[in-house]
Amino acid sequence: MDKIKVRVPATSANLGSGFDCCGIALELYNVFEYEKIKSGVEFVGWDKAFANESNLAYLAYKAVCDKIGVDSCVKITIIDTGVPVSRGLGSSATLICSGAYAANKLHGMKLSKEEVFEICTELEGHPDNVAPALFGAFCTSVTDMKGNPYTVRTHVSKRIHFTVLIPDFEVQTHDARAVLPQMVKREDAVYNMSRVALLASAFKSGSGELLRIVTRDRLHQQYRRPLFKNIDEIEKCAYECGAISFMISGAGSTCLCLSTKMIEEKLNDKIKDLPNGWVAKELKISKYGTKEVE
């Protein structure tokens, strides 16, 4: 095999209480083609700023090749980019996971899924996006004292409807990190710990009442909200349309609503005249994560 097309889903991390440890894969995809070449690295369809050897897709491809002990000469072509950049939907994870998956596949699947996951986590810096991007569904992840990642994949109930609200502005991850306090109150830590302990069970059961409780948070969202234009108005509209939970997706600027019924059409009608171009889109869970496509 000399060529492969790889599809990677968008991801939404944190999910309220699951700060830096929980994420889900959603049916919004980036697709890339990787082709072995005789020398160097080539980029097709990329913005000039990303068509270089600092490209995350290439770095992941090269990291796997180095681990296996083969050359990393490759042409990387963008086929489809459904995942918006800097919107809290894991666009960087799609690059990393596609590159690592493609390199392993093109060179004989010499690394295990766990080894690929380790490489992706090291490049991303944390596992909360790359775990669901690689494996699909709902993933709860941790790293040990040496930085080795572990994840548990959980089925997500079909009773839950996921609606993302995507605005026309970006929120940079470093800005979203910068506003977080260095110290938190013990009661706030306990508040989140008690909820994240039940988060996977709530997504598996699809209980609206439980999801409403366990997706609440005191560690990050209250500090990040000032970075989001007219978020209070958007949240109010979401609840008026039937959302049971409203949260920031990753570092933003996308927000995520959970509901037990479809609210996309009603919500879009309600927010269509509001500033900052917010658009609601219902997405299903991506069960399979990163995979080869024709």
Side-chain angles (χ1 to χ4, degrees):
M1 179 185 291
D2 293 322
K3 185 188 297 186
I4 186 174
K5 286 182 183 177
V6 180
R7 189 185 73 180
V8 190
T11 51
S12 180
N14 299 330
L15 303 174
S17 61
F19 180 54
D20 273 7
C21 61
C22 294
I24 54 169
L26 299 168
E27 287 193 345
L28 190 67
Y29 298 101
N30 281 346
V31 182
F32 306 94
E33 181 180 82
Y34 292 79
E35 182 179 1
K36 293 179 183 177
I37 57 177
K38 291 183 179 180
S39 63
V41 55
E42 299 176 15
F43 297 91
V44 178
W46 295 83
D47 184 281
K48 186 177 180 181
F50 302 105
N52 55 65
E53 294 187 7
S54 295
N55 183 297
L56 286 173
Y58 174 69
L59 289 177
Y61 188 93
K62 185 177 186 302
V64 168
C65 289
D66 289 347
K67 179 89 170 178
I68 295 172
V70 296
D71 73 69
S72 58
C73 301
V74 65
K75 179 169 73 173
I76 308 174
T77 302
I78 292 177
I79 304 298
D80 187 29
T81 52
V83 183
V85 177
S86 297
R87 295 295 198 282
L89 288 169
S91 60
S92 64
T94 69
L95 302 178
I96 292 168
C97 293
S98 71
Y101 180 94
N104 196 38
K105 189 82 171 181
L106 287 176
H107 294 284
M109 298 292 286
K110 294 179 181 178
L111 301 185
S112 67
K113 289 182 179 180
E114 291 74 22
E115 288 174 310
V116 172
F117 178 40
E118 288 176 9
I119 288 171
C120 291
T121 299
E122 184 176 355
L123 283 169
E124 177 79 345
H126 43 84
D128 52 335
N129 283 106
V130 295
L134 276 175
F135 305 123
F138 177 102
C139 292
T140 304
S141 306
V142 299
T143 54
D144 65 16
M145 295 295 289
K146 296 180 179 179
N148 300 314
Y150 298 84
T151 194
V152 175
R153 183 180 179 276
T154 302
H155 168 78
V156 177
S157 171
K158 293 180 180 179
R159 296 172 60 189
I160 309 170
H161 291 259
F162 297 87
T163 306
V164 292
L165 281 152
I166 307 174
D168 62 9
F169 62 87
E170 300 179 359
V171 171
Q172 300 298 326
T173 301
H174 61 81
D175 293 333
R177 289 278 178 187
V179 298
L180 299 180
Q182 294 298 312
M183 303 284 289
V184 298
K185 295 179 181 178
R186 180 185 299 170
E187 55 264 37
D188 289 342
V190 173
Y191 182 95
N192 270 56
M193 288 172 61
S194 62
R195 281 157 177 75
V196 76
L198 295 174
L199 197 58
S201 295
F203 275 88
K204 186 176 182 179
S205 71
S207 167
E209 182 179 1
L210 188 56
L211 284 165
R212 184 181 294 111
I213 295 168
V214 301
T215 52
R216 297 193 180 259
D217 156 76
R218 288 184 181 174
L219 293 185
H220 65 105
Q221 294 188 107
Q222 61 184 311
Y223 305 106
R224 289 172 164 175
R225 286 179 73 96
L227 300 175
F228 291 70
K229 303 169 186 177
N230 66 314
I231 189 173
D232 292 339
E233 193 172 16
I234 292 297
E235 181 177 26
K236 182 174 180 290
C237 290
Y239 281 122
E240 288 175 351
C241 290
I244 58 174
S245 186
F246 177 93
M247 65 203 84
I248 295 170
S249 177
S253 58
T254 295
C255 293
L256 174 68
C257 300
L258 307 184
S259 61
T260 54
K261 61 182 180 181
M262 292 187 66
I263 63 172
E264 175 187 330
E265 185 176 352
K266 186 177 181 180
L267 186 50
N268 272 321
D269 186 60
K270 200 170 187 67
I271 65 176
K272 63 183 179 182
D273 296 324
L274 297 181
N276 302 307
W278 292 85
V279 175
K281 184 177 182 65
E282 178 166 329
L283 299 172
K284 293 182 179 180
I285 288 291
S286 177
K287 298 178 182 179
Y288 306 109
T290 302
K291 63 181 296 185
E292 179 181 359
V293 293
E294 294 183 357

